[in-house]
Amino acid sequence: MSQENRRQQAARDHLWMHFTRLSSAADHEVPVIVRGEGAYIWDDRGRRYLDGLAGLFVVQAGHGRAELAEAAATQAADLAFFPIWSYAHPTAIDLAERIASYAPGDLNRVFFSSGGGEAVETAWKLAKNYFKLVGKPMKHKVISRAVAYHGTTHGALSITGLPPLKQQFEPLVPSTFRVPNTNLYRAPVHGDDPEAFGLWAAEQIRVAIEAEGPDTVAAVFLEPVQNAGGCFPPPPGYFQRVREICDEHDVLLVSDEVICAFGRLGHMFGAERYGYQPDMITCAKGLTSGYSPLGATIISDRIAEPFLHGDASFAHGYTFGGHPVSCAVALANLDLFEREGLNQHVLDTEGDFRRVLDGLRDLPIVGDVRGDGFFYGIELVKDQATKETFDAEESERLLRGFLSTALFDAGLYCRADDRGDPVIQLAPPLVAGQEQFDEIEQILRSVLTEAWSRI
């Protein structure tokens, strides 16, 4: 048996892949990715694919960056591990200072975790702890948006607005509530007026806070561009009104930027792009470009202040939070960002990317193209004129029965998703350019044309 075939069998027998139907391996090979370079990846059979999802919205700097691997090796040789439980080490200190220098406003404290879900968990626990310390112990509830994904730990999953992801794990943590998202394409009101729709959507947060009682609501969790459902950017004025509502009711605004931070939208943080000031930012993924796991919750001075006195302590932490090697990789990654101007590259070329994707609107299956930066969703429909979507059985056949495999076989790794209406999501590494944009368009055009012929 060849090594490739042996690994295939071992994958079927021993590897529990995440968010994957294990039955799918019974009659299909498990894709085994062995290396990457720039915007491309290769499998164990030598086939090349364009990485249209940056791994999982992660590999901002592109694959194969030797300097990031070297930073990890150098740090591991000096200090491979030490916790930041009452101790510190140089890379955690330096990275916290660096992140604070980028963060907007008074977000000056950085709490490290292993990844994004842990960062969200941290933010919720900290919000509840903060309000207890300032004499408002009833404030513990969280508002988030419909179809939004915030993580898989019990707390983060409770904040998540995707019922199919939650049902098999219930009961979850109580006291979380959903409001409408900013899907302008399917806006229930003001669909022809983005600003009016944005203000309406923001007002639904006020309605939810007042319905639950402002003295019980601790935080609102929002992504700058909502990922699940297919990239919903904020309408004009939306975040500004949300900020006002949160201030009126003393509710913390948490900007969940696990995907949107570190260049995905052309800025270090999405809050900068859309001009709002959060009380906390959660981030991960692009912080290290995926070369080592790391997450962070960035916290305002106001929230940190009660913990600076007496015996107050945030009784929370993670063994691998602030890992020395991960912090060293993050510092090298941020050096690379600055040296190569990755944020500016996204701002300079996002219009080219959008124009290429907008060109797909001539296909009858394409209903909407939306997003910002290097972060786009293409919604698929049965009828462009009426925006009729696919039912569950049709979506299953379209996405899992054809598109996911066909796109990969054609050389494009991306996501065909139906958490909400059926979409194709695209988020290439930030080093991508016109050549990759055109390649994405050509593959999508060919595969979507065939998909339409099968409907």
Side-chain angles (χ1 to χ4, degrees), residues 107-348:
L107 273 66
N108 291 314
R109 297 275 175 166
V110 181
F111 191 103
F112 288 117
S113 55
S114 305
E118 291 179 355
V120 170
E121 201 83 11
T122 297
W124 189 9
K125 289 179 71 174
L126 184 56
K128 292 194 286 187
N129 200 162
Y130 164 78
F131 280 118
K132 285 179 171 60
L133 290 178
V134 299
K136 297 184 177 182
M138 293 290 288
K139 290 178 81 70
H140 66 285
K141 297 174 183 175
V142 166
I143 308 293
S144 60
R145 295 186 291 202
V147 197
Y149 176 85
H150 292 283
T152 57
T153 58
H154 264 73
L157 186 59
S158 300
I159 298 172
T160 290
L162 292 159
L165 290 189
K166 303 165 74 163
Q167 291 164 351
Q168 56 266 56
F169 306 113
E170 292 175 335
L172 294 171
V173 183
S175 304
T176 66
F177 303 89
R178 245 58 59 200
V179 294
N181 57 46
T182 59
N183 183 356
L184 181 62
Y185 183 65
R186 297 195 177 278
V189 296
H190 307 301
D192 57 348
D193 187 340
E195 187 168 357
F197 170 63
L199 293 177
W200 173 85
E203 284 299 309
Q204 304 316 299
I205 294 175
R206 179 188 60 79
V207 170
I209 291 172
E210 293 178 355
E212 289 304 314
D215 60 336
T216 71
V217 179
V220 175
F221 279 70
L222 304 173
E223 298 164 274
V225 174
Q226 181 175 317
N227 170 42
C231 298
F232 305 143
Y238 173 79
F239 273 111
Q240 288 67 36
R241 181 60 187 136
V242 171
R243 178 71 270 179
E244 292 172 353
I245 292 165
C246 288
D247 289 343
E248 289 166 11
H249 295 298
D250 194 18
V251 171
L252 303 181
L253 175 55
V254 181
S255 188
D256 183 355
E257 306 206 17
V258 172
I259 288 176
C260 291
F262 306 110
R264 184 55 51 195
L265 300 173
H267 295 265
M268 282 301 182
F269 298 104
E272 296 176 273
R273 174 157 187 151
Y274 302 117
Y276 65 95
Q277 179 61 50
D279 298 293
M280 288 187 269
I281 291 175
T282 57
C283 58
K285 294 185 185 288
L287 175 55
T288 64
S289 284
Y291 282 68
S292 191
L294 187 65
T297 306
I298 316 169
I299 301 142
S300 72
D301 290 339
R302 176 169 75 99
I303 297 172
E305 199 279 334
F307 295 90
L308 301 178
H309 311 286
D311 60 358
S313 172
F314 185 36
H316 174 69
Y318 301 102
T319 299
F320 292 116
H323 192 285
V325 173
S326 294
C327 290
V329 170
L331 287 165
N333 181 56
L334 295 172
D335 287 343
L336 192 156
F337 258 78
E338 294 188 359
R339 187 176 68 251
E340 298 188 0
L342 290 184
N343 285 334
Q344 191 59 50
H345 172 68
V346 171
L347 294 176
D348 290 344

Side-chain angles (χ1 to χ4, degrees), residues 383-403:
D383 189 306
Q384 283 183 333
T386 64
K387 302 183 183 179
E388 182 184 0
T389 191
F390 297 90
D391 64 30
E393 181 183 351
E394 292 167 333
S395 182
E396 173 76 15
R397 285 191 282 110
L398 175 66
L399 297 185
R400 294 171 190 83
F402 177 68
L403 278 178

Side-chain angles (χ1 to χ4, degrees), residues 360-417:
L360 295 168
R361 291 178 184 270
D362 64 352
L363 299 178
I365 198 173
V366 173
D368 193 28
V369 177
R370 54 184 178 252
D372 277 322
F374 275 23
F375 188 29
Y376 287 96
I378 300 172
E379 183 168 334
L380 308 179
V381 294
K382 289 170 67 174
D383 189 306
Q384 283 183 333
T386 64
K387 302 183 183 179
E388 182 184 0
T389 191
F390 297 90
D391 64 30
E393 181 183 351
E394 292 167 333
S395 182
E396 173 76 15
R397 285 191 282 110
L398 175 66
L399 297 185
R400 294 171 190 83
F402 177 68
L403 278 178
S404 293
T405 300
L407 287 167
F408 192 66
D409 288 346
L412 176 62
Y413 165 70
C414 62
R415 171 183 274 177
D417 190 26

